[in-house]
């Protein structure tokens, strides 16, 4: 695992400014670039992720996400204690939902039913459609959501990025991009560094994601596996 101190050292090597007493960048500046790089990579690789479940409420379509949520990864609906009851919801954009059901905002009782689709309504709100009816909101009927969240800022030099280990090496390259697009004023090197980050992230992403998903299937007890979905469930 790469600590903030190790990432900063590598970044200084990439910009050839290893002497902290003779540099264009303070440690604080590079630390800020490191945090920015971690958050940037999170949006590309769709990591880190967390899981929540929320009890469905009769007639309610909108539910609040945690404040650090970036996007929806996947979603299921149903009662995990009932065999075969949990089914995936289609994750889509508001525009796509409007094509399928132009009246998706309708709050009339006849518009309720069993949820089939989910959208990110705004930064911290999801919306399921149709709105749950009485049968779909009995105790145990839940929205089971996996979402990508914004990684925490690295608070000290021993802290490590909340990203899969393989992506840690890309953070100093992002810092290089920031340095050359700022004080060092070399757009060619800045753009080359950014291309390197994006291209490597896209190559690594499907491999690393698959490894993490396989791990999530095998960690835990047999009882956990039998009761969980493909990526696991966190019960509240």
């Amino acid at each position: 695992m790469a600590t903030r101190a190790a990432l900063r050292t590598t970044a200084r090597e990439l910009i050839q400014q290893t002497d902290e007493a003779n540099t264009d960048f303070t440690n604080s500046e590079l630390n800020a670039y490191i945090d920015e790089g971690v958050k940037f990579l999170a949006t590309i690789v769709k990591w880190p992720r967390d899981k929540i479940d929320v009890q469905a409420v009769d007639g309610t379509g909108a539910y609040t996400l945690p404040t650090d949520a970036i996007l929806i990864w996947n979603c299921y609906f149903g009662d995990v204690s009932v065999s075969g009851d949990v089914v995936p919801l289609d994750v889509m954009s508001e525009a796509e939902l409007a094509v399928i059901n132009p009246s998706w905002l309708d709050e009339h009782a006849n518009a309720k039913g069993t949820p089939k689709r989910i959208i990110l309504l705004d930064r911290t709100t999801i919306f399921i459609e149709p709105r749950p009816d009485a049968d779909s909101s009995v105790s145990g009927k839940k929205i089971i959501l996996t979402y990508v969240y914004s990684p925490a800022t690295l608070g000290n030099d021993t802290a490590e990025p909340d990203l899969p280990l393989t992506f840690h090496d890309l953070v100093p390259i992002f810092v290089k991009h920031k340095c050359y697009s700022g004080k060092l004023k070399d757009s060619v090197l800045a753009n080359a560094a950014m291309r390197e980050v994006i291209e490597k992230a896209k190559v690594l992403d499907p491999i690393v994601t698959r490894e993490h998903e396989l791990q999530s299937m095998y960690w835990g007890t047999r009882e956990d596996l039998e009761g969980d979905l493909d990526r696991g469930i966190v019960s509240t």
Side-chain angles (χ1 to χ4, degrees):
M1 301 286 277
T3 63
R4 185 177 73 177
L7 294 171
R8 192 174 61 240
T9 296
T10 302
R12 286 196 177 280
E13 292 170 352
L14 291 177
I15 63 173
Q16 300 180 34
Q17 293 193 11
T18 56
D19 184 358
E20 294 183 15
N22 182 26
T23 178
D24 293 302
F25 301 94
T26 65
N27 283 346
S28 294
E29 287 176 301
L30 294 184
N31 290 343
Y33 290 159
I34 288 170
D35 285 328
E36 185 178 344
V38 172
K39 293 180 185 299
F40 177 79
L41 284 167
T43 64
I44 294 179
V45 303
K46 311 297 188 295
W47 205 275
R49 301 172 193 158
D50 202 357
K51 303 173 183 69
I52 58 172
D53 58 42
V54 181
Q55 172 65 45
V57 178
D58 189 1
T60 299
Y63 299 83
T64 301
L65 279 172
T67 56
D68 60 354
I70 298 175
L71 55 85
I72 301 170
W73 177 247
N74 64 28
C75 189
Y76 296 82
F77 183 82
D79 187 339
V80 298
S81 68
V82 178
S83 178
D85 191 65
V86 177
V87 296
L89 298 185
D90 292 331
V91 180
M92 60 183 59
S93 68
E94 181 176 334
E96 290 171 327
L97 178 58
V99 171
I100 295 172
N101 179 13
S103 302
W104 64 275
L105 286 171
D106 190 346
E107 297 184 2
H108 192 277
N110 292 339
K112 296 190 295 184
T114 300
K116 295 181 175 62
R117 293 166 282 272
I118 182 171
I119 64 170
L120 187 62
L121 191 60
D122 57 41
R123 187 183 177 281
T124 58
T125 309
I126 57 171
F127 189 94
I128 55 174
E129 189 277 331
R131 301 168 192 264
D133 57 17
D135 290 339
S136 297
S137 54
V138 296
S139 180
K141 291 281 191 178
K142 294 183 177 182
I143 305 157
I144 304 161
L145 182 76
T146 301
Y147 67 96
V148 179
Y149 65 88
S150 180
T153 297
L154 302 184
N156 55 65
D157 277 356
T158 61
E160 300 166 347
D162 193 1
L163 292 172
L165 179 60
T166 306
F167 295 106
H168 289 194
D169 290 341
L170 300 184
V171 177
I173 305 173
F174 179 89
V175 175
K176 176 183 177 181
H177 157 74
K178 294 293 294 185
C179 292
Y180 279 108
S181 62
K183 290 181 181 180
L184 300 183
K185 297 181 179 179
D186 189 325
S187 60
V188 174
L189 289 179
N191 292 338
M194 178 56 77
R195 284 196 301 271
E196 183 177 359
V197 170
I198 294 173
E199 290 171 3
K200 287 184 175 180
K202 289 182 177 179
V203 170
L204 294 171
D205 181 34
I207 300 171
V208 176
T209 296
R210 179 60 179 164
E211 288 177 350
H212 275 261
E213 289 173 354
L214 286 173
Q215 289 173 354
S216 73
M217 291 173 67
Y218 289 106
W219 290 346
T221 66
R222 180 173 180 82
E223 289 75 14
D224 292 333
L225 294 174
E226 290 176 343
D228 286 356
L229 303 173
D230 289 345
R231 291 188 176 86
I233 298 171
V234 174
S235 297
T236 56

